[in-house]
């Protein structure tokens, strides 16, 4: 996954967590809603100024947007299942993340019971 897509997923995550629309975020940042969508899909590269404006619009630090973003130039990274799951979880709303987490916990408990 490239940096633009990872950043876009983080923007979408924080936007959904704060329960605001792309249109509202665009208004808060001084951007067009289409541009916010392009950022979230990783279609546009964000400048430092863009990162600043988006972080201000989301009322978070720029560090929060950039935290744990890893640039994957090696195709092997795409085969890293935990990393792939992490990225997929970032793209869904927090309440759904909690549901997925509970399901994963149940699966892990079942697998531990099967070993004994």
């Amino acid at each position: 996954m490239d940096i633009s897509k990872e950043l876009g997923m983080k923007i979408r995550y924080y936007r959904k967590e704060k329960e605001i629309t792309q249109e509202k975020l665009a208004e808060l940042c001084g951007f067009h809603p289409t541009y916010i969508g392009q950022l979230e899909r990783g279609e546009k590269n964000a400048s430092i100024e863009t990162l600043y404006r988006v972080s201000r619009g989301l009322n978070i630090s720029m560090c929060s947007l950039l935290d744990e973003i890893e640039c994957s130039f090696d195709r092997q990274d795409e085969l890293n299942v935990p990393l792939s799951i992490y990225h997929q979880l970032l793209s869904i709303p927090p309440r759904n993340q909690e549901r997925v987490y509970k399901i994963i916990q149940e699966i892990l408990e079942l697998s531990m019971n099967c070993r004994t």
Side-chain angles (χ1 to χ4, degrees), residues 7-109:
L7 178 63
M9 288 184 352
K10 294 284 288 265
I11 292 169
R12 179 178 291 129
Y13 168 81
Y14 283 112
R15 179 180 61 76
K16 288 184 176 186
E17 181 179 60
K18 295 181 180 290
E19 298 179 347
I20 59 177
T21 64
Q22 287 182 343
E23 291 76 14
K24 181 64 177 172
L25 180 58
E27 180 184 317
L28 293 168
C29 300
F31 293 133
H32 192 277
T34 302
Y35 184 63
I36 296 296
Q38 291 170 327
L39 285 173
E40 287 186 358
R41 291 186 300 275
E43 296 171 357
K44 293 286 185 181
N45 290 319
S47 68
I48 297 292
E49 181 181 345
T50 298
L51 290 175
Y52 175 76
R53 290 167 65 178
V54 169
S55 66
R56 299 292 279 186
L58 292 169
N59 198 28
I60 60 173
S61 69
M62 283 177 58
C63 291
S64 295
L65 275 181
L66 298 174
D67 189 38
E68 297 184 26
I69 288 183
E70 308 246 344
C71 184
S72 319
F73 293 108
D74 187 353
R75 187 124 167 89
Q76 290 289 64
D77 288 344
E78 293 176 18
L79 303 177
N80 184 332
V81 173
L83 183 61
S84 176
I85 291 169
Y86 167 76
H87 289 299
Q88 290 176 29
L89 281 172
L90 281 179
S91 68
I92 62 176
R95 66 183 170 279
N96 291 347
Q97 290 175 10
E98 291 173 23
R99 291 179 187 149
V100 171
Y101 178 71
K102 287 177 184 176
I103 292 168
I104 290 171
Q105 281 184 313
E106 289 178 22
I107 291 169
L108 291 173
E109 286 175 20

